[in-house]
Amino acid sequence: MARRPLPRILSSGTASLARGRDFARTAADSATDVLHPLLVIGRGLRVLAAAGRRRWSETPKDKRGPALFLGAACVLVVALVPYGPLLALMTLMAAAAWHGRDRTPVKTGPSDAEAERLGSLYEALVPYFSIPEDPSPLFAHGGEWDKAFSGYEFDGAGRLTRLRIRYPAYFTDGEAASRARIEALLHAKSGRGREYLFDWDEEGNQLDLSVLAALPTGIAAQPFVTSPGESVLGFTDSGSVQRTLPVLEGEQPRDVPPVVWRTGPRSTEPHLLAVGQPGSGTSTLLRSLALQALRHGGDVLIVDGGGSGEYACLSGRAGVLAVECGPVGAVATLEWAAQETERRLVAIHRAREAGRPAPEDTRRPLWILLDQPSVLAHLAVAEGGPDPMTHLQVPLRHGRPAHVTVVVAEQFDHLELLHDAVWQHTRARIVLGPAGIQQIADVLGLPPHTTPTTLVPPGRGYARLGTGPVHRLQVPATPDPYDEATHPAHRQAVLELLPERQQGPGPALAKPVGAAALDAPERP
């Protein structure tokens, strides 16, 4: 017996129903806007009718007859007067509109609890914003807080979400230590567990405090709309950058502001250093950069110093030259990368001398991703072998004109083991996970403009590109697709971005690519 097809309304899923609900809701909102005057007049007529019935019920029975006669006489007079009915109707509509207006009381000031909180915050700032020599201090014990505070807002729990503070001109707002003391006090008095933004207006002697919304954590790895040479490190606040990217958060499309890192010969920050605690998301960042590099046709070398196997999904994929986890393989891989960088430089130099464009194989981006290289360096020294990090100096120093990009991810506990070349040539810096203000400043060169919190999701931190400002950062969710403890949708998103596996053995790194056309120079 043949099956009958389902009705269209059932086979089309919930999308049609959702569109129908949205259309009905939009139509209802539009009708409410158009009919708002009639609704107000109708509500006013009900109020007048209720008042008339109440007045009639309160009138004694012996006076109802004269009242009816007086009302009839008034109606007769209005009917005989020229334009009387029209004027009476207009008067009735005006009275109905007046009585039907929205009478919701408007809040004009803080409540008692909010005023008490503002007063305590004012008293706490007195020792910092006052001096004995000031004849008319703006901040004084027992003074009026409304002269110094303006533009305050509170949330449903009664905690401050925005505040503007006017401080005296003699306050040393140009000193970082003085500003840090004020920010720490405001953070403690306004409520912990939230991230605050402090905007200092030194010219106008004003400080704006605002609570920042949480950055989106549901954006998974996906093909970002970027040009070759651009990599999305993560997403930040809307006021920090002047660009947005269309992304999918779950199944909902959004436009979010990204932190874009530009690499290549014209980049001023050709290499990157990411620092964090275990579980902070540095491996997620490296996987995200690897997938973006492979999508734009680059070659990727991965050295996993931690040996956790989180990059096994990339092994044997098209464009992935090697995934090394041991010290011997790391030494060979980095030695090949140094020789390949030198070969590219020589080929580019000879092409320019001959007046020809650079060879195609020298313009193909080469990415060297190292996760916890200090562990491999320690193992290599313990086994009596050479330090693999010594071969990294050539790609770091000369990789920019040769289209070679180096990304190093390390933990806070092992930063002292990094070579000076890494600190000198990684001008793009990222700090992920919980960290103190001083730790962040030591890596980025500047303290963050917000107050770091102790509990942050993986991939959450700060980024600074060169000498630019410090941005809040949330790395797109790029988990190990073989880790079943992670979100299934995020793992599936990574699997869809992985290139096809190569047929046969992977590429050999014994000799640089294109060595048939140009032999690599011997290393001293």
Side-chain angles (χ1 to χ4, degrees):
M1 181 177 179
R3 293 184 178 181
R4 298 180 60 185
L6 291 174
R8 182 175 180 83
I9 189 173
L10 297 179
S11 61
S12 59
T14 60
S16 300
L17 297 178
R19 287 195 296 268
R21 285 195 299 267
D22 294 339
F23 178 77
R25 189 180 298 110
T26 303
D29 294 340
S30 302
T32 301
D33 295 337
V34 173
L35 300 177
H36 180 70
L38 297 179
L39 296 176
V40 172
I41 293 176
R43 185 166 55 246
L45 290 176
R46 289 198 304 269
V47 172
L48 292 177
R53 287 195 301 269
R54 186 171 57 255
R55 186 66 178 273
W56 177 258
S57 62
E58 294 175 355
T59 303
K61 292 183 179 181
D62 56 342
K63 295 183 178 180
R64 291 183 178 180
L68 286 175
F69 177 76
L70 180 61
C74 292
V75 171
L76 181 60
V77 171
V78 170
L80 295 177
V81 173
Y83 304 105
L86 180 59
L87 294 176
L89 181 61
M90 294 175 60
T91 304
L92 178 62
M93 294 298 103
W98 174 260
H99 287 281
R101 71 187 188 279
D102 188 7
R103 300 186 181 185
T104 304
V106 179
K107 183 179 178 181
T108 58
S111 62
D112 295 339
E114 295 172 351
E116 183 178 357
R117 181 179 287 271
L118 291 173
S120 63
L121 184 60
Y122 174 84
E123 292 290 337
L125 291 172
V126 169
Y128 301 92
F129 285 151
S130 63
I131 57 176
E133 296 81 7
D134 192 350
S136 57
L138 182 62
F139 285 81
H141 291 294
E144 299 178 358
W145 59 264
D146 54 350
K147 294 182 179 179
F149 296 163
S150 62
Y152 45 81
E153 291 182 3
F154 293 85
D155 57 10
R159 297 194 300 175
L160 273 171
T161 58
R162 190 175 67 87
L163 178 65
R164 169 165 291 185
I165 303 174
R166 186 167 65 93
Y167 56 86
Y170 52 75
F171 176 71
T172 56
D173 52 5
E175 299 179 2
S178 300
R179 295 164 60 156
R181 286 193 296 268
I182 299 299
E183 293 176 1
L185 174 65
L186 294 174
H187 182 205
K189 294 295 183 180
S190 300
R192 300 183 183 273
R194 300 184 297 176
E195 197 164 3
Y196 294 88
L197 171 65
F198 299 98
D199 186 9
W200 291 84
D201 182 8
E202 300 179 9
E203 184 177 0
N205 299 320
Q206 289 184 346
L207 169 61
D208 289 334
L209 176 148
S210 58
V211 177
L212 293 174
L215 295 176
T217 58
I219 302 177
Q222 53 194 280
F224 299 115
V225 184
T226 55
S227 59
E230 293 183 343
S231 300
V232 176
L233 300 178
F235 305 98
T236 184
D237 301 299
S238 57
S240 300
V241 295
Q242 299 179 354
R243 177 179 177 180
T244 59
L245 283 182
V247 298
L248 288 176
E249 185 176 2
E251 297 182 356
Q252 185 69 25
R254 292 184 55 188
D255 288 340
V256 293
V259 178
V260 177
W261 175 39
R262 294 174 177 84
T263 57
R266 292 182 176 85
S267 173
T268 57
E269 305 89 21
H271 310 298
L272 182 140
L273 172 64
V275 183
Q277 301 288 355
S280 59
T282 53
S283 300
T284 296
L285 173 65
L286 262 62
R287 273 192 298 270
S288 175
L289 293 176
L291 293 177
Q292 296 181 61
L294 293 172
R295 177 173 172 265
H296 289 299
D299 293 328
V300 177
L301 284 173
I302 301 176
V303 177
D304 184 9
S308 59
E310 294 189 359
Y311 305 96
C313 61
L314 295 169
S315 181
R317 303 283 180 175
V320 180
L321 302 182
V323 178
E324 296 293 343
C325 300
V328 178
V331 171
T333 299
L334 294 181
E335 184 178 4
W336 177 89
Q339 295 178 2
E340 173 67 7
T341 303
E342 294 174 346
R343 183 199 69 81
R344 291 187 176 201
L345 291 176
V346 173
I348 293 174
H349 178 68
R350 291 180 179 177
R352 290 176 179 175
E353 285 184 340
R356 299 191 305 269
E360 181 65 26
D361 58 350
T362 63
R363 298 197 299 267
R364 184 179 176 88
L366 174 61
W367 288 71
I368 306 174
L369 308 180
L370 298 97
D371 192 357
Q372 302 184 42
S374 60
V375 178
L376 288 179
H378 177 76
L379 292 177
V381 174
E383 295 177 359
D387 186 357
M389 294 297 291
T390 57
H391 301 293
L392 196 62
Q393 297 184 12
V394 174
L396 284 172
R397 292 176 178 175
H398 310 291
R400 184 171 66 91
H403 294 270
V404 177
T405 302
V406 179
V407 181
V408 180
E410 193 53 85
Q411 298 181 7
F412 277 107
D413 299 337
H414 303 152
L415 288 182
E416 67 276 0
L417 301 179
L418 290 179
H419 286 219
D420 294 337
V422 176
W423 290 104
Q424 182 178 358
H425 297 284
T426 53
R427 295 173 52 84
R429 305 282 180 85
I430 292 178
V431 175
L432 297 179
I437 294 180
Q438 189 59 43
Q439 287 181 307
I440 299 174
D442 292 341
V443 176
L444 302 184
L446 282 180
H449 60 290
T450 62
T451 54
T453 57
T454 56
L455 298 177
V456 294
R460 173 70 177 81
Y462 297 91
R464 188 187 184 203
L465 303 179
T467 58
V470 178
H471 300 287
R472 288 206 309 164
L473 183 72
Q474 178 62 52
V475 178
T478 316
D480 181 7
Y482 301 153
D483 185 4
E484 297 182 356
T486 57
H487 197 285
H490 295 171
R491 290 193 287 115
Q492 183 62 31
V494 175
L495 290 174
E496 293 177 356
L497 292 177
L498 289 175
E500 297 293 334
R501 290 193 178 275
Q502 293 180 342
Q503 300 297 330
L509 301 184
K511 202 170 188 180
V513 178
L518 177 65
D519 292 333
E522 297 182 358
R523 294 176 55 84

